[in-house]
Amino acid sequence: MVFVTKDIVELLNGSNDEWLYQAADKAKRQTYGNKVFVRGIIENSNICDRNCLYCGVRKENKELKRYSLSEAEILECARGIRNQGIKSIVMQSGESQSHNDKKIAQTIAKIKTEIPDCDVTISFGEKSRDVFKMYKDNGADRCLLKVETLQDDVYEYAHSGYKLKDRIKSIEDLLDLGYQVGSGFIYGLPLYTQEKFAQDLLSLQKLGVHMYSTTPFIASKNTPFADLDCGEVNAVYRSNAIYRIMEPTVNIPVTSALASLDENSKAKGLRRGANVLMLSFTPESVRKDYSIYRGKNTVKTEELNALEALEEEVKKADMVPAYERGRSLYQYKGR
Ligand code: SAH
C-alpha cells in the first residue's frame, strides 16, 4: 500500500487505529503466518566512545561500571541461547575504538562453528566497510544499526559531533555486502516532529532495510535528556503497523524500550504488526550496567528464565513462538 506523508501523520495521530491495526495484523499473517521469531541478545560490552545525548551508556556517564565480556563468556551466553532452542543470536555493544574487531569477529566464527544452525546479528554501531566485511566473512549474517532519525537537524542535535551521512553510509555498505539489515528511529527525540518522522518512514523504505525497529524515546538518568518527556508509546505501535503495511515482508520486533514504558507491550505489539521478540542472555552480573535507558534489563520478563513468560505473551496474541533463524523475507533490490 502506498502512503504519502499526510496519510502517515494522520495515522500516527490515531485517526484510524482500528483499520490500521487490523490491516497490519493481516499483512503480518499473510507473510509470517502466526509465527513469532525469538532471538537471544548478548550485550557484550557497555564501553562507548560516543556521547549520544539520550543514551545511558554514553561515554560521559561516569556512574556506570564499564565491562567487556571475554570470549569464553560470550561463547557461554551463545550456548545458553541455543540450549533454549533459540537459533538467532544478537550481539550488541557500545561503539568504541577500544573494542577489538578482529577478536570479536573470531568469536563470531567460533559461535558459528559450534552452533552451525544459528544466525548471528551484530549491533556494534558504525564500522568501516572493511570491518563490516570482516565480520561477514567470519559468519555475521545480519546487522542492527538504527539511524535513529533521517533528519539532519534532529540527528546532529542528539549526536553532537556526528553526521547522519556517515550512519547512512554504513547502512548502504551493509546492504551492499549482503547483510540483512535492521534499522529505524527513536520516536520523540527533540525537534523530531510527526511530519519529519512520517517523511522518514518513506525514506527508510527507499533505503531498503529488512527489519524495522523504532523505540519510544526514554528519558534516561545521567544523560543530558534526562528531564525531557518520553516518546509517545501509541505512536510507536502505530509506526510499526504503518511500516508493516508499507513493507509486509520485513521483520518488526517489539522492543524492550517499549516494554519498559508499557507492561503489555509484547502481546499488544504482536497484534499490531510485529513478529519478533528478543530476550536478554547477558550475564546477570553485568546486566544492570547495560542501561541504555531507564528500565532496560530490569523489567520482570527480561530475566534469564523468561522464556515461559514470553511464550505466554505470544499465546495471548494468538501466535506461536518459532525457534528458527527467523530471517526476513524482504528482498533487497539494490540501489
Ligand atoms: N552502539 C550500538 C548499539 C546502541 S544501543 C549502535 O550504535 O548501534 C541500541 C539502541 O537503543 C540505539 O540504537 C537506540 O536506538 C536505542 N536507545 C538508546 N538510548 C535510548 C533511549 N534513551 N531511548 C530510546 N531508545 C534508546
Side-chain angles (χ1 to χ4, degrees), residues 48 50 54-57 92-95 123-126 144-146 148 167 184-186 215-220 223 257 290 292-294:
C48 196
R50 294 211 174 192
Y54 48 82
C55 184
V57 307
Q92 188 175 81
S93 71
E95 182 172 329
S123 181
F124 305 145
E126 290 165 37
L144 169 61
L145 182 69
K146 292 181 63 192
E148 323 295 6
R167 198 91 175 156
F185 313 115
I186 301 180
T215 45
F217 162 68
I218 298 177
S220 301
T223 70
Y290 199 80
I292 48 181
Y293 38 76
R294 161 172 61 85

Side-chain angles (χ1 to χ4, degrees), residues 9 14 38 43 55 65 93 98 110 116 180 188 192 200 217 224 226 231 242 269 276 283 307 310 313:
V9 170
V38 181
E43 289 138 342
C55 184
K65 205 172 129 236
S93 71
S98 73
K110 286 189 187 170
Q180 286 216 335
Y192 211 1
D200 282 2
F217 162 68
I242 293 165
V276 177
L307 207 58
L310 180 144
E313 295 301 309

Side-chain angles (χ1 to χ4, degrees), residues 151-190:
Q151 305 284 330
D152 283 312
D153 60 340
V154 182
Y155 191 91
E156 284 175 29
Y157 184 64
H159 304 94
S160 57
Y162 289 95
K163 294 278 179 222
L164 175 60
K165 70 172 180 17
D166 296 328
R167 198 91 175 156
I168 294 174
K169 166 83 167 52
S170 279
I171 303 263
E172 290 172 345
D173 286 343
L174 289 160
L175 288 167
D176 288 348
L177 289 165
Y179 276 87
Q180 286 216 335
V181 180
S183 197
F185 313 115
I186 301 180
Y187 187 87
L189 284 175

Side-chain angles (χ1 to χ4, degrees), residues 25 27 115 124 222 233 235-236 240 247 278 282 305 317-318:
D25 193 48
I115 315 173
F124 305 145
N222 304 320
V233 166
V236 174
N240 284 348
E247 284 297 344
M278 245 190 271
T282 303
N305 52 2
D318 278 327

